[in-house]
Structure formats: C-alpha cells, structure tokens
C-alpha cells in the first residue's frame, strides 16, 4: 500500500478488501443534523475546481494477519464508507444511462467500461470490496453493494443513516448532465490521500489514541475506548498485549451494537451508565 496515493489506486490494488472492525463505532455521518456531513461531501465536489487536486485526508489501516489483501479501517471509515456509497449511486446511474442511450464516452474520449468501475469499488470475483460493522453488513451488502430495491429491515440507527446517505447522494446524481457525473467520478477517483499501515493491534491502538476523524469528532465514549487500549499497552506487565486489547474490542463491539438499537447518542448511553 502506497503512503501517498489516490482513491482509484487504493481500491485498484490486487485483491484488496476493506472492513470496519466490530469494535469501531458504526456509520455516523448525517444528512440532516447540525454537521450535515453528507451534504458537505456533495458540496465539496460541486465547488471543487477540476483543474486542481482534491485532497481527501489520511487513512489508517491495520493489515489482517491471516489475509494479505484485507485491511481493517482504523481511522477514516466514515469517509471510506461514503465513497463506496457514492460509487454505488454513480455506477447505477451510469448503467441506467448506458441502457437508455448506448455506450458512454469518458472525459478522456475513451469508451467507459462500467463493469470495471463495479469491479474496482463494489465487487470483484464474487468478493465485496468493502464490509461495514458486522451488525449492519447484511443491510449494507443488500441495499448498497447489490443495490437491491426490495425492502430489508434497517433496525439500527447507523443502517438508517446509511440508507439516508444513499438516497441523498443518488438524488443529487440522477438529474445531472452526463458530463457532470463523469467530472464527479474523476474528482473522487483522482483525489489525493495518505495512508499509514500497521501490522498489529498494539501499534494501531497507540496511533488511534491520537487520531481524530476529519468529518466527525470522536465521542467521549470513543476517547475512553482509545484511552483504555492505550493504557493497557503502556502499563500492563502482560506478555499478551494483543489479547488484552482484543478483550476491550469485544466489550466495545457489544456497546456500539446495543447503542445503535436505541434512540440515544453514545455519550448519552455513557451518561446513563
């Protein structure tokens, strides 16, 4: 994985897959809220000068010890999830237009192979390129990656946020002229990012303790999780640092899963407890 790369090159790496660990908070970007991160995502694309580089921030990954091509997203999951949702909408719209009007010519005057886009960002060789947190992943695969219109229960707040994000982004893309859609594709594909890759949970924990997501700040609960993991490593005499951290991950995985099923924020849950 290159330290300085683009979204297109990141997803294009041979066999690469991304997954959100169960102990991470679920998708939290909103369409209608004080922050309106999804609206800001679209506005940033609309206002961007296509002649200049678009910077999409830093990503922290932990390499799966059992599968070389799989990476766990430690920091940047909100942005990466939104990018996958964006390409799901964009690819579906391009496929619809191809059915209606025939082949599509990209901005470089070459015919656009939409199936290659789907392979790069959605699914290749029967393997999805992206997994969200386990308790939302069936919904994510059905409604986002497979774009099924048949209703499926979205029984967590985070899955409803995913649904709202897709509806908002698709509604923005559908009425656009083809040239603008292709311009948006180019901006996101060529957007500059930096990456940092770690190979063990101890290192990931130390780095995450000092990281903050660009789009939405860490909750107090997130900070407590990071603090506990960091202190376990710093102060424990155990020879099994990763085992201790896995215990905390397991506990917080259940906390996040349950908090997404009630109409309370993470910090409200923390306050009640």
């Amino acid at each position: 994985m290159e330290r300085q790369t683009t979204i297109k090159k990141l997803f294009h790496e041979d066999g690469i897959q991304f997954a959100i660990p169960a102990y991470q908070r679920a998708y939290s970007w909103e369409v209608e809220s004080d922050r309106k991160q999804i609206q800001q995502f679209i506005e940033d694309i609309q206002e961007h000068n296509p002649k200049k580089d678009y910077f999409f921030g830093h990503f922290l990954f932990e390499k799966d010890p059992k599968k070389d091509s799989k990476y766990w997203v430690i920091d940047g999951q909100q942005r990466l999830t939104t990018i996958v949702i964006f390409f799901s909408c964009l690819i579906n719209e391009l496929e619809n237009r191809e059915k209606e009007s025939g082949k599509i010519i990209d901005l470089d005057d070459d015919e656009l192979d939409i199936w290659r886009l789907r392979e790069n960002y959605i699914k290749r060789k029967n393997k999805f390129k992206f997994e969200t947190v386990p308790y939302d992943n069936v919904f994510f695969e059905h409604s986002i990656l497979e774009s099924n219109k048949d209703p499926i229960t979205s029984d967590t707040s985070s899955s409803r946020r995913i649904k709202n994000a897709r509806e908002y982004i698709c509604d923005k893309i559908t009425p656009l002229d083809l040239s603008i859609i292709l311009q948006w594709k180019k901006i996101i594909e060529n957007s500059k990012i930096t990456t940092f890759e770690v190979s063990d949970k101890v290192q990931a924990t130390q780095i995450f303790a000092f990281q903050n997501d660009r789009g939405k700040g860490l909750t107090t609960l997130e900070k407590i999780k990071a603090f506990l993991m960091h202190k376990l490593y710093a102060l424990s005499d155990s020879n099994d640092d990763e085992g201790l951290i896995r215990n905390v991950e397991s506990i917080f995985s259940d906390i996040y899963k349950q908090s997404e099923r009630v109409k309370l924020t993470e910090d409200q849950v923390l306050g009640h407890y």
Side-chain angles (χ1 to χ4, degrees):
M1 183 179 291
E2 296 180 26
R3 291 291 301 276
Q4 295 186 9
T5 186
T6 64
I7 290 296
K8 182 178 182 179
K9 289 179 180 178
L10 178 70
F11 274 84
H12 193 67
E13 288 195 30
D14 189 35
I16 199 165
Q17 291 178 290
F18 302 102
I20 309 300
Y23 64 85
Q24 292 278 34
R25 65 181 177 185
Y27 190 68
S28 62
W29 275 17
E30 300 276 5
V31 171
E32 297 178 359
S33 70
D34 292 339
R35 296 296 297 275
K36 299 179 181 178
Q37 294 90 358
I38 303 299
Q39 293 185 38
Q40 188 63 58
F41 172 82
I42 293 296
E43 288 173 8
D44 285 348
I45 301 173
Q46 289 173 323
E47 297 171 1
H48 181 70
N49 183 345
K51 295 180 180 180
K52 295 185 177 181
D53 289 336
Y54 184 74
F55 294 95
F56 215 68
H58 182 72
F59 293 85
L60 173 63
F61 299 103
E62 177 190 345
K63 192 169 186 178
D64 190 291
K66 297 179 180 179
K67 190 175 180 182
D68 286 342
S69 58
K70 187 169 186 176
Y71 291 86
W72 298 93
V73 186
I74 307 303
D75 191 58
Q77 69 129 315
Q78 307 296 332
R79 285 167 286 144
L80 205 61
T81 306
T82 304
I83 286 170
V84 173
I85 296 172
F86 170 83
F87 274 108
S88 170
C89 291
L90 184 140
I91 290 167
N92 286 341
E93 182 59 27
L94 289 175
E95 287 174 337
N96 290 336
R97 299 206 183 193
E98 187 177 54
K99 289 177 184 176
E100 293 173 359
S101 306
K103 65 181 181 180
I104 292 175
I105 304 301
D106 209 344
L107 297 178
D108 57 6
D109 294 327
D110 289 331
E111 182 176 351
L112 178 63
D113 292 324
I114 302 175
W115 64 271
R116 289 188 185 276
L117 277 179
R118 187 169 288 280
E119 275 197 349
N120 207 39
Y121 298 104
I122 306 297
K123 188 177 185 180
R124 184 176 185 187
K125 296 181 179 178
N126 296 318
K127 292 182 180 179
F128 290 115
K129 300 295 289 287
F130 184 88
E131 299 171 14
T132 189
V133 289
Y135 49 86
D136 282 341
N137 200 49
V138 171
F139 174 84
F140 194 86
E141 288 183 358
H142 178 91
S143 301
I144 306 300
L145 301 180
E146 295 285 17
S147 300
N148 285 310
K149 299 186 184 299
D150 297 331
I152 185 173
T153 302
S154 53
D155 59 353
T156 65
S157 298
S158 48
S159 62
R160 287 189 286 273
R161 286 191 288 269
I162 289 169
K163 179 176 178 288
N164 291 339
R166 187 182 191 279
E167 289 177 351
Y168 183 85
I169 293 173
C170 287
D171 285 347
K172 291 296 182 181
I173 290 176
T174 299
L176 295 175
D177 289 339
L178 178 59
S179 60
I180 301 299
I181 294 176
L182 296 174
Q183 189 68 65
W184 284 21
K185 176 181 77 70
K186 181 179 179 180
I187 288 171
I188 295 301
E189 283 199 313
N190 294 338
S191 59
K192 306 288 187 180
I193 62 170
T194 58
T195 68
F196 190 79
E197 174 190 335
V198 296
S199 56
D200 62 76
K201 293 183 181 299
V202 173
Q203 190 179 13
T205 297
Q206 287 181 293
I207 295 172
F208 183 78
F210 302 103
Q211 289 280 62
N212 196 333
D213 190 273
R214 176 185 179 272
K216 192 165 185 176
L218 299 180
T219 63
T220 303
L221 188 64
E222 276 281 302
K223 293 174 183 176
I224 288 174
K225 180 189 73 177
F227 177 80
L228 285 173
M229 291 171 138
H230 179 63
K231 288 299 182 182
L232 271 174
Y233 170 72
L235 301 178
S236 173
D237 293 328
S238 171
N239 292 322
D240 185 21
D241 296 321
E242 292 211 9
L244 292 172
I245 290 172
R246 277 194 296 270
N247 288 337
V248 176
E249 290 176 348
S250 176
I251 293 167
F252 273 86
S253 171
D254 192 51
I255 291 172
Y256 288 128
K257 181 178 180 179
Q258 298 306 323
S259 68
E260 287 295 337
R261 299 186 186 280
V262 297
K263 294 182 178 180
L264 296 171
T265 66
E266 295 168 12
D267 285 349
Q268 285 173 329
V269 172
L270 179 64
H272 281 292
Y273 181 81

